[in-house]
Amino acid sequence: QKEVEQNSGPLSVPEGAIASLNCTYSDRGSQSFFWYRQYSGKSPELIMFIYSNGDKEDGRFTAQLNKASQYVSLLIRDSQPSDSATYLCAAPEGGKLIFGQGTELSVKP
Amino acid sequence: DAGVIQSPRHEVTEMGQEVTLRCKPISGHDYLFWYRQTMMRGLELLIYFNNNVPIDDSGMPEDRFSAKMPNASFSTLKIQPSEPRDSAVYFCASSFSRDEQYFGPGTRLTVT
């Protein structure tokens, strides 16, 4: 089974800064990745997915995939306190998703 | 769309009792997933269905756990007998494709 690794954090950034969340994976054949955000006491919410090498931008969020390095990241520009949450990276395997342990992000006002 | 619906939202029960968790997936979705989340183990996939058929139940911890999907709009996860170590948040998720999963609000289970 493929593995998805994330630094559990917590990652603390000041308001307005860029938050960088990283994820590495074991399977070179992985073609797509998903980023979920989970607020404390809530369920995971899909915020981004990326299928190809390079960058994908959606508002303040940018997902970056580097297949050669088996590395995927999520950048959050102009971080807000409302971005404080746990961010989960996931890769598909067969019909299911393999989730990382999640990185806790704290944005300080 | 109402999203994935789970019930109950909270369940407190005593060790040895039977617990049944319920899930209604998003209409039109053909995949349904049951997860368990704890601080120690993170988010674990227990079982998933495609078109009401169980595909992979390798994550089901033991025979005390069972899941059914009698039709496209309903699934249950049953624990019998329950144990304190089953205390966790149980999520149901559904998807149309195999990848983009949408989660329900979860059921917080406490077994005393």
Side-chain angles (χ1 to χ4, degrees):
Chain A
Q1 177 171 298
K2 68 176 62 172
E3 294 182 353
V4 176
E5 301 285 339
Q6 294 181 259
N7 187 327
S8 62
L11 173 66
S12 182
V13 301
E15 184 174 357
I18 296 175
S20 178
L21 304 158
N22 305 312
C23 177
T24 58
Y25 56 95
S26 61
D27 182 3
R28 286 190 174 275
S30 295
Q31 299 294 316
S32 57
F33 292 88
F34 299 81
W35 283 100
Y36 284 78
R37 176 178 62 199
Q38 186 174 23
Y39 292 114
S40 180
K42 301 295 185 181
S43 57
E45 171 193 13
L46 178 65
I47 57 172
M48 287 281 288
F49 56 87
I50 185 166
Y51 290 106
S52 58
N53 252 355
D55 297 359
K56 179 182 178 183
E57 188 173 317
D58 183 1
R60 295 186 296 110
F61 296 90
T62 299
Q64 299 176 319
L65 175 58
N66 184 326
K67 291 184 180 180
S69 300
Q70 297 178 234
Y71 181 93
V72 60
S73 63
L74 179 69
L75 302 179
I76 306 175
R77 291 182 301 280
D78 188 24
S79 296
Q80 302 296 309
S82 59
D83 296 324
S84 298
T86 296
Y87 290 80
L88 298 155
C89 171
E93 179 179 81
K96 59 189 180 185
L97 287 177
I98 306 300
F99 282 87
Q101 286 290 94
T103 298
E104 182 183 352
L105 172 66
S106 177
V107 182
K108 303 295 186 184
Chain B
D1 197 319
V4 176
I5 298 172
Q6 291 188 247
S7 65
R9 295 292 306 275
H10 301 273
E11 177 80 32
V12 180
T13 191
E14 292 183 348
M15 183 174 62
Q17 297 298 306
E18 178 179 295
V19 175
T20 299
L21 311 181
R22 297 173 177 80
C23 174
K24 176 178 170 57
I26 294 172
S27 178
H29 282 190
D30 55 353
Y31 283 83
L32 184 139
F33 306 82
W34 281 102
Y35 291 89
R36 176 172 68 177
Q37 188 174 42
T38 61
M39 288 294 291
M40 290 296 295
R41 299 177 66 88
L43 192 62
E44 303 174 274
L45 177 66
L46 301 176
I47 185 172
Y48 77 93
F49 296 82
N50 177 220
N51 292 322
N52 313 337
V53 177
I55 303 300
D56 184 350
D57 65 354
S58 60
M60 296 285 264
E62 49 198 273
D63 292 345
R64 297 184 298 107
F65 286 69
S66 62
K68 295 182 180 180
M69 191 166 186
N71 57 61
S73 59
F74 184 66
S75 178
T76 60
L77 178 67
K78 185 175 293 186
I79 308 172
Q80 166 63 19
S82 57
E83 297 182 2
R85 60 189 168 129
D86 302 330
S87 297
V89 180
Y90 290 81
F91 290 108
C92 175
S94 71
S95 70
F96 176 64
S97 72
R98 293 186 295 178
D99 298 335
E100 297 172 38
Q101 297 180 20
Y102 296 88
F103 284 73
T107 295
R108 183 173 296 276
L109 173 65
T110 302
V111 183
T112 60

